[in-house]
Amino acid sequence: DVSFKKAKSEDLIKIKSDIFPFIENMDSDKKELKKNLNTCFLGLKNDKIIHYFLTYENPKISPLFSGALFNKQSLLKTDAYLGSTFTIPSERGSWIAPSSLLYIINFYKVHTSKKRLLVLVHKDTLGAVDYYKKFGFYVMNNVAPKNILEWFLLKIKISK
């Protein structure tokens, strides 16, 4: 029953009516949906938008990667980044997120020159690492420092 598509500018009005009421406390996602709609994927059911998955063809412009803590040297020009995803509560448990992820992987493989899709998950997020591994993702170690002090020490040079 669910179909997926890459969002277009004309979808923003429907996103605001169908999704924004469910994400009223998620201002960063609202901002990103408005700003980066061209790399967002939507899940539709009965002409309603019930799901979105933000992606970034240029990871360096994503909110997470633009932060100071990410090791940008790890990025390649052929990388894309999987950002936040959301499914309305009444549709959760219906395999929408995995179906969406498969659609996005295929889209990037067929329609772009991207060779890697990156996703950043905290290792302690229950099941997240194993979930993405099932889709062929693998763990990259030492991509982001563990804390701000470590990052700071990597960035400064102590001279005598």
Side-chain angles (χ1 to χ4, degrees):
D1 292 275
V2 180
S3 62
F4 299 96
K5 71 173 194 167
K6 191 173 181 189
K8 297 178 183 175
S9 58
E10 59 264 22
D11 292 319
L12 186 55
I13 294 169
K14 193 139 182 60
I15 290 170
K16 286 180 178 181
S17 67
D18 293 353
I19 292 289
F20 277 25
F22 294 101
I23 61 171
E24 57 187 38
N25 295 325
M26 297 169 61
D27 291 337
S28 61
D29 271 19
K30 286 181 184 179
K31 179 181 165 188
E32 289 302 311
L33 282 164
K34 291 175 187 174
K35 187 170 97 179
N36 293 305
L37 193 58
N38 62 333
T39 59
C40 178
F41 291 83
L42 303 173
L44 297 101
K45 183 176 181 182
N46 299 326
D47 199 38
K48 286 258 190 214
I49 298 173
I50 59 165
H51 168 84
Y52 67 81
F53 208 129
L54 286 164
T55 72
Y56 298 85
E57 289 183 21
N58 178 0
K60 291 179 183 178
I61 66 163
S62 73
L64 191 57
F65 282 72
S66 62
L69 295 180
F70 188 77
N71 179 355
K72 292 178 179 72
Q73 290 76 26
S74 301
L75 296 176
L76 305 173
K77 289 182 181 182
T78 55
D79 289 343
Y81 171 64
L82 299 174
S84 61
T85 184
F86 178 84
T87 303
I88 64 170
S90 63
E91 297 294 335
R92 292 179 186 161
S94 302
W95 290 86
I96 293 169
S99 299
S100 173
L101 184 55
L102 287 173
Y103 180 88
I104 291 165
I105 291 168
N106 186 61
F107 181 90
Y108 273 99
K109 194 183 275 187
V110 172
H111 299 288
T112 74
S113 62
K114 301 299 179 180
K115 303 291 181 206
R116 293 193 311 179
L117 289 175
L118 306 174
V119 61
L120 190 61
V121 296
H122 192 278
K123 66 179 180 172
D124 294 335
T125 304
L126 188 61
V129 172
D130 289 338
Y131 173 81
Y132 283 102
K133 280 183 176 180
K134 288 178 184 176
F135 287 94
F137 288 79
Y138 63 93
V139 174
M140 294 173 64
N141 294 312
N142 302 318
V143 176
K146 294 178 183 171
N147 60 47
I148 192 72
L149 180 60
E150 181 181 338
W151 173 81
F152 183 71
L153 292 173
L154 289 172
K155 295 296 177 185
I156 63 168
K157 294 181 181 179
I158 301 173
S159 58
K160 294 182 180 183

